[in-house]
Every structure is written in C-alpha cells, then in structure tokens.
Amino acid sequence: MYRYRACNLLLSAIIPGPKETDPDQTQHYLKILVDELLRLWRDGVVLPTHRFPQGRRVRVVLAGVFCDKPAAHKIGGFG
C-alpha cells in the first residue's frame, strides 16, 4: 500500500501581457511545463532522507482538480 500526501501549490509561470495570449502562445508555455512534468514522472529525482541517506527515488504526478474555492480549500487541506 502506498502512502501519499497532498502536495504544495506551485506557481510555475506567469504568461507576459498586457493582452491575453493566443492559443499557440499558450501552448508554447504549457509545453515547457508538461515536458518537465513528464521527465519528473519518467525519471523521477533521488532525494536523500533521514531513513534513506543514500537517497530514495521520488516521482511526480500532476492531478488536475477543477472546483470552486471552498472545495479547493478542502481538497488542499485548508478546510
């Protein structure tokens, strides 16, 4: 059985303005983020911990949650 914890909120990018970007520009910014997330899932990162000083491989998973603000607070553990 795997144990997991709710993770942190990460602001990965702010798309420059002053106008809303067109879909092609938005895809360019998202591709950078998605490529990095795919690498973190495929390869993971090795992080040393107290229990595993030689390091333990950690993989990253992104789960999209679409909801209103009160539900987001409950999901994020701020209920």
Side-chain angles (χ1 to χ4, degrees):
M1 178 176 207
Y2 295 101
R3 291 188 302 161
Y4 64 93
R5 295 181 191 181
C7 62
N8 299 318
L9 176 64
L10 170 69
L11 175 62
S12 60
I14 297 176
I15 298 175
K19 298 179 188 173
E20 185 176 346
T21 58
D22 66 35
D24 290 332
Q25 291 172 321
T26 303
Q27 290 297 320
H28 170 74
Y29 289 106
L30 290 176
K31 181 180 182 333
I32 296 167
L33 175 63
V34 170
D35 288 346
E36 184 67 14
L37 288 169
L38 288 172
R39 186 188 67 77
L40 289 170
W41 169 250
R42 184 180 56 246
D43 304 330
V45 290
V46 177
L47 300 173
T49 66
H50 180 70
R51 189 170 172 194
F52 298 97
Q54 73 280 6
R56 181 86 180 214
R57 183 169 309 278
V58 176
R59 296 179 193 270
V60 175
V61 175
L62 175 67
V65 177
F66 301 92
C67 56
D68 60 2
K69 188 175 179 186
H73 282 214
K74 288 179 184 175
I75 290 170
F78 303 110

